[in-house]
Amino acid sequence: MALSTKPYKGTRDFYPEDMYVQKWMFENIAKTVEGFGYQPYDGPMLEPFELYAAKSGQEIVEKQLYWFTDRGERKVAIRPEMTPTMARMVAGKVMELPKPVRWYSIPNLWRYERPQRGRLREHWQLNVDVLGGDNLFADAEILKLAHAVIAGFGGEDKIRIAINNRKLINHVFKNLLKLDADAALKASKAVDARDKIGEEAYLKLLAEAGLNSDQTSTMENFFKSDLETVCSDFDCEGARELNELFSVLKDDAISSVLKLEPQIMRGLDYYTGTVFEVYDVSPENNRAMFGGGRYDNLIGLFGNQQLSGVGFGMGDVTLRNFLESHNLLPELKSHLDVFFVTANRDAVIQSEKLASDLRKLGIKCASSLSTAKFNQQLKQANKLNAKIAVIIGESELENQQLTLKDLVKGEQTSIATNQLTSHLKSMLPGSFN
């Protein structure tokens, strides 16, 4: 029985054309993020199971985590998110690192989920975090950076950024709805899952959390509050932090897409302050693309040092869906500068010598690795999107000449072999080092 050619469910094969898209997206992201002074980092794919059990959240640990026991009887997990690894690494050198710590990574992550549009079991995710600095200014910077990443792709007017504060939510649950800690946690999970599970299941979860109809109605009215209402009606630290954050950002480009939405919860248990979601406003893809928030206690899990942080994660699947929905993805395909077409063994040997010299100058070269008919080799050159074909036939070898064919314009000319570099410089402006 033949093996299946399909990848594992919820994963993707990346053929060359897909790799060019991913490479372009990641390079664009890195340019924007590093422009804000953030430094790249990475960590292991495998981590101790306890790292996620401590703070990642019940749903991830119990339902989505890939884990196994290794040969040393250690319980090991494949990373479902990057923030715990980042926190572990920062904690390991917390006294040495310059503050604030500005780090980013684009790791490969795994979660056992039901595959659907924008969500797979394996994906790559931009993770950006700043640890240290004034909380207000750090929150403002991370929001501006999230906006700048999308603006780097030309999509800044195609999103809205919904913001909230977990301290405000906690205040409402405790002082307005009179919920205990367990009921508040269950209610927040229900609100966070609302768009995914539908109204009927949402209301059922609220009832199971112990909320009566009056409490549910009060909570729904709270969700309709604007910033002015929140600041006037709720005397709490969360409301004050939101007011200050909007004030700091009022003159920034982000202000046109920033909106308070009190129902934004973010499901991960480690968030303690500002939380936000970035939404695609397209009717065809109207969904939360990515989000993040402030966490104050992660570093403390690894010792006595405390260092507050804020960050966000953006998956490559949702980003590509966004770019495709808004026609922001350029036509990306592999290309060669030069493809050598060879008539015989001697021609192949000469082509390799010429190609070696050209590669040192930054020119992308390849050959057919064969002596097939010229038309077959030229078809191969066109499939590889080569710009120039350098033909070395028997007559060219005999006369120390080359035939250059411009595969874009269809023009052809003969030159002396020692004139190849000078001719290519005029035909391929910008390709040389």
Side-chain angles (χ1 to χ4, degrees):
M1 181 177 176
L3 294 173
S4 173
T5 61
K6 294 181 179 180
Y8 170 69
K9 186 176 182 180
T11 69
R12 294 162 288 170
D13 290 323
F14 285 82
Y15 287 89
E17 55 268 28
D18 301 306
M19 288 302 301
Y20 275 95
V21 172
Q22 187 187 71
K23 181 173 181 284
W24 173 78
M25 291 195 309
F26 290 179
E27 287 177 349
N28 198 316
I29 288 169
K31 180 180 178 181
T32 299
V33 174
E34 291 184 13
F36 276 69
Y38 286 71
Q39 298 177 303
Y41 76 99
D42 203 351
M45 177 71 74
L46 301 179
E47 290 277 14
F49 178 91
E50 293 75 21
L51 184 66
Y52 305 108
K55 275 291 182 180
S56 281
Q58 185 178 6
E59 183 179 3
I60 289 179
V61 175
E62 295 183 359
K63 298 180 181 180
Q64 299 176 357
L65 198 63
Y66 282 87
W67 65 272
F68 61 94
T69 301
D70 71 9
R71 293 181 180 182
E73 300 300 318
R74 291 171 289 260
K75 200 171 181 181
V76 179
I78 301 175
R79 62 187 180 195
E81 57 169 330
M82 197 63 176
T83 304
T85 295
M86 181 275 303
R88 176 183 60 74
M89 291 173 62
V90 171
K93 292 192 174 184
V94 67
M95 301 304 294
E96 306 170 37
L97 296 171
K99 314 297 187 300
V101 177
R102 287 185 172 97
W103 281 6
Y104 83 95
S105 185
I106 310 179
N108 181 232
L109 304 176
W110 288 79
R111 292 188 188 185
Y112 191 82
E113 300 189 271
R114 180 173 62 86
Q116 55 188 291
R117 177 174 170 80
R119 190 181 296 273
L120 298 174
R121 290 177 176 173
E122 178 199 31
H123 70 286
W124 278 256
Q125 179 173 289
L126 168 66
N127 280 80
V128 182
D129 294 271
V130 54
L131 297 98
D134 183 280
N135 286 6
L136 171 63
F137 298 135
D139 287 359
E141 178 173 288
I142 213 72
L143 283 162
K144 288 191 285 187
L145 180 49
H147 181 259
V149 167
I150 298 301
F153 293 102
E156 64 271 26
D157 60 342
K158 298 171 176 60
I159 59 170
R160 84 174 192 276
I161 301 179
I163 188 172
N164 197 14
N165 192 296
R166 289 289 280 263
K167 295 174 185 176
L168 172 63
I169 299 166
N170 294 340
H171 174 84
V172 169
F173 283 163
K174 180 179 179 179
N175 298 297
L176 186 64
L177 301 180
K178 308 299 183 183
L179 302 179
D180 60 29
D182 182 62
L185 179 61
K186 290 179 180 178
S188 68
K189 298 292 185 185
V191 174
D192 189 57
R194 187 175 189 174
D195 291 341
K196 301 176 187 176
I197 63 177
E199 284 298 296
E200 183 177 348
Y202 164 67
L203 293 174
K204 181 180 178 181
L205 287 178
L206 290 183
E208 291 174 355
L211 275 73
N212 58 39
S213 58
D214 288 340
Q215 289 171 310
T216 300
S217 178
T218 299
M219 186 170 65
E220 291 299 322
N221 287 332
F222 163 67
F223 289 160
K224 298 174 184 177
S225 303
D226 57 18
L227 181 64
E228 183 178 354
T229 301
V230 164
C231 292
S232 62
D233 292 358
F234 299 95
D235 183 18
C236 67
E237 188 175 3
R240 289 188 288 273
E241 288 182 359
L242 281 168
N243 191 43
E244 290 177 345
L245 188 54
F246 272 90
S247 177
V248 167
L249 294 171
K250 64 182 175 62
D251 295 323
D252 190 83
I254 195 177
S255 62
S256 62
V257 297
L258 193 64
K259 182 183 178 184
L260 171 65
E261 297 190 20
Q263 73 274 22
I264 298 298
M265 298 283 174
R266 298 289 295 166
L268 296 174
D269 293 346
Y270 50 67
Y271 290 124
T272 56
T274 298
V275 287
F276 67 94
E277 298 269 10
V278 179
Y279 285 85
D280 183 351
V281 298
S282 167
E284 293 79 28
N285 193 42
N286 191 0
R287 54 161 295 167
M289 292 170 55
F290 66 96
R294 170 158 294 281
Y295 47 88
D296 288 341
N297 305 318
L298 271 183
I299 305 301
L301 291 173
F302 302 92
N304 297 324
Q305 295 293 329
Q306 293 288 343
L307 189 63
S308 179
V310 61
F312 69 85
M314 178 180 67
D316 68 318
V317 182
T318 52
L319 174 60
R320 181 163 180 171
N321 288 344
F322 172 79
L323 297 175
E324 290 174 340
S325 295
H326 295 284
N327 297 315
L328 297 174
L329 198 63
E331 185 179 357
L332 295 166
K333 54 187 178 182
S334 62
H335 75 271
L336 286 171
D337 295 312
V338 172
F339 187 90
F340 285 93
V341 176
T342 51
N344 54 36
R345 185 174 182 273
D346 291 337
V348 172
I349 292 172
Q350 184 180 34
S351 74
E352 287 303 312
K353 291 178 181 178
L354 294 171
S356 180
D357 291 337
L358 291 175
R359 290 178 187 125
K360 293 174 184 177
L361 299 173
I363 299 300
K364 299 176 184 176
C365 304
S367 70
S368 66
L369 299 178
S370 77
T371 55
K373 293 180 179 180
F374 281 0
N375 64 339
Q376 293 178 1
Q377 295 186 56
L378 288 170
K379 284 181 181 178
Q380 186 181 356
N382 283 315
K383 285 183 177 180
L384 293 171
N385 300 304
K387 298 174 183 177
I388 306 294
V390 177
I391 301 171
I392 310 176
E394 292 179 358
S395 62
E396 282 85 1
L397 281 171
E398 184 178 343
N399 298 308
Q400 296 186 19
Q401 288 186 320
L402 302 170
T403 298
L404 302 189
K405 183 170 184 178
D406 189 320
L407 296 176
V408 178
K409 299 178 180 178
E411 299 171 353
Q412 187 168 301
T413 185
S414 293
I415 64 168
T417 300
N418 60 10
Q419 295 177 329
L420 178 60
T421 300
S422 60
H423 272 73
L424 289 179
K425 284 184 176 178
S426 64
M427 299 174 75
L428 299 170
S431 295
F432 283 77
N433 287 337

